[in-house]
Amino acid sequence: MRLIILEDASVVADWAARFVLQRITEFGPGPDRRFVLGLPTGGTPLGMYRRLIDFYKEGRISFKYVTTFNMDEYVGLPRDHPESYHYYMWNEFFKHIDIDPAHAHVLDGNAPNLVAECQRFETLIREAGGVRLFIGGIGPDGHIAFNEPGSSLVSRTRVKTLAYDTLEANKRFFGNDISKVPRQALTVGVGTVMDAHEVMILITGVHKALALAKAVEEGVNHMWTVSAFQQHAQALFVCDEDATLELRVKTVKYFKALSGEHQKMIASVPVKQQRVLH
C-alpha cells in the first residue's frame, strides 16, 4: 500500500486523472483488448472526471475500448432520477467521452430480482477478464462503495442495507429529508474490489481524516472496511493535506519523502518498473 499526499483536492483530481491516463495509454486497448476500469460516484471523483474529459477533448485519451463497472447504485430510484448513479455517470462523465454505452456497466437498482442482478454483475466482471484498475472513494466512517462498517472483507456484489450515518450524510442530496434517502443499495463487495489488479482510493477533506488514519496506521478491521486494502499488493491511497490531520507526524513525513517516486507513477515509467518503486 502506498499513501500519496498532495496539496489539495484539485491536485488530487489532476494526479488521479493522469494516473488513469498513464494506465490506459500504456495498456494500449483495442477491439480485442479492452481496458477494464472500476469507477466511483460522489463528490470526491468529480474533479478527476472533469480532467479526464479535458484529456479526451485534447485527444490524449480515448475510452472507445474501455469497459467500466461502477461500484454501486441505490435500490428503487428511477434511472433518470437526479440522484441515481446512472444519472450521475451519464451527466458527469459518459456523455462527454467516446465510451460505448454497452460497455459502461452500472448496477440496476430496479431489477426484478436484485440478487440475480448482483450475480450478473460479478459474472460480467469475470467475463471481462477482471478489473485492471478500480477507483474508489470512502465515507467518513471508512466505508468503500456501500460496504458499511461491519461488512465482510471478502464480500461480493450484493444488496446492502445502509447505515444511519450514511443516510444522514446523503440526505443533503434529497432536500435534507432523510426519509427520501433509499434504505438499500446494490454494491460491489470488498472482495470484488480486492480482486482488481490495482486499486486507487481518493480521500479528500478533513472529515475523512479519521478514516484515513484508521486505514493507514491501524490494523485491518471490518468496522473500517477501507482498511482491507492494506493487504492489496497494488493499492494507492491518494489524499490531500486536510485528510492527513489525524495521521502521526512521522507517518506524514515518511510518505512525503517518497513523493519523487510517486511522481514517476504518472510519468512515462513502465508499469512493471513502477511496481518496484517505494
Side-chain angles (χ1 to χ4, degrees):
M1 185 207 77
R2 296 168 177 164
L3 176 64
I4 298 170
I5 302 170
L6 302 168
E7 289 90 333
D8 56 37
S10 66
V11 182
V12 169
D14 184 71
W15 196 98
R18 291 178 186 278
F19 185 82
V20 175
L21 171 67
Q22 199 271 354
R23 287 306 190 262
I24 294 176
T25 301
E26 179 170 310
F27 184 81
D32 301 314
R33 178 179 163 80
R34 303 188 69 87
F35 188 93
V36 184
L37 182 63
L39 295 174
T41 56
T44 303
L46 272 176
M48 178 191 70
Y49 290 141
R50 289 167 184 160
R51 290 296 290 135
L52 287 171
I53 292 166
D54 290 341
F55 294 159
Y56 166 70
K57 290 179 177 178
E58 293 164 5
R60 299 173 64 186
I61 190 171
S62 171
F63 294 88
K64 185 176 182 180
Y65 299 115
V66 173
T67 296
T68 63
F69 290 93
N70 263 81
M71 283 190 151
D72 43 27
E73 176 60 289
Y74 287 116
V75 169
L77 279 190
R79 290 169 66 106
D80 60 355
H81 189 286
E83 299 307 328
S84 82
Y85 295 153
H86 280 85
Y87 185 95
Y88 172 106
M89 289 307 303
W90 174 253
N91 285 283
E92 299 294 350
F93 192 42
F94 293 152
K95 77 176 184 181
H96 304 286
I97 58 174
D98 61 343
I99 194 166
D100 180 351
H103 289 280
H105 303 289
V106 183
L107 284 154
D108 182 359
N110 294 289
N113 185 327
L114 295 176
V115 173
E117 169 63 7
C118 294
Q119 293 170 344
R120 182 189 72 88
F121 206 70
E122 287 278 342
T123 299
L124 284 173
I125 293 174
R126 188 166 57 252
E127 290 176 346
V131 177
R132 296 206 66 84
L133 171 62
F134 224 131
I135 305 168
I138 64 169
D141 60 2
H143 74 259
I144 184 166
F146 277 125
N147 292 286
E148 304 282 35
S151 293
S152 166
L153 300 185
V154 295
S155 54
R156 311 305 301 186
T157 305
R158 66 205 187 284
V159 185
K160 194 77 178 73
T161 300
L162 303 183
Y164 179 81
D165 284 351
T166 299
L167 300 178
E168 185 69 28
N170 288 355
K171 73 178 183 182
R172 68 188 189 277
F173 301 120
F174 294 86
N176 280 319
D177 185 349
I178 198 169
S179 69
K180 294 181 180 178
V181 185
R183 265 39 184 181
Q184 289 186 313
L186 305 185
T187 182
V188 295
V190 178
T192 310
V193 183
M194 285 286 289
D195 282 349
H197 292 268
E198 291 186 287
V199 177
M200 176 169 63
I201 300 172
L202 310 180
I203 307 168
T204 59
V206 67
H207 60 302
K208 307 286 182 70
L210 180 59
L212 178 62
K214 293 286 185 179
V216 173
E217 294 183 334
E218 298 191 13
V220 175
N221 185 337
H222 71 164
M223 296 306 292
W224 299 87
T225 54
V226 69
S227 68
F229 296 93
Q230 292 179 21
Q231 297 187 317
H232 193 287
Q234 299 295 331
L236 302 171
F237 287 32
V238 187
C239 71
D240 64 0
E241 290 279 1
D242 285 349
T244 68
L245 293 182
E246 294 283 350
L247 291 174
R248 298 183 180 94
V249 172
K250 66 179 181 181
T251 301
V252 173
K253 286 184 175 179
Y254 170 74
F255 285 106
K256 280 189 172 182
L258 303 178
S259 61
E261 299 303 312
H262 294 155
Q263 290 308 306
K264 295 178 183 178
M265 300 176 72
I266 55 173
S268 58
V269 178
V271 173
K272 286 184 179 180
Q273 290 184 30
Q274 290 181 24
R275 287 176 177 163
V276 297
L277 298 175
H278 294 283

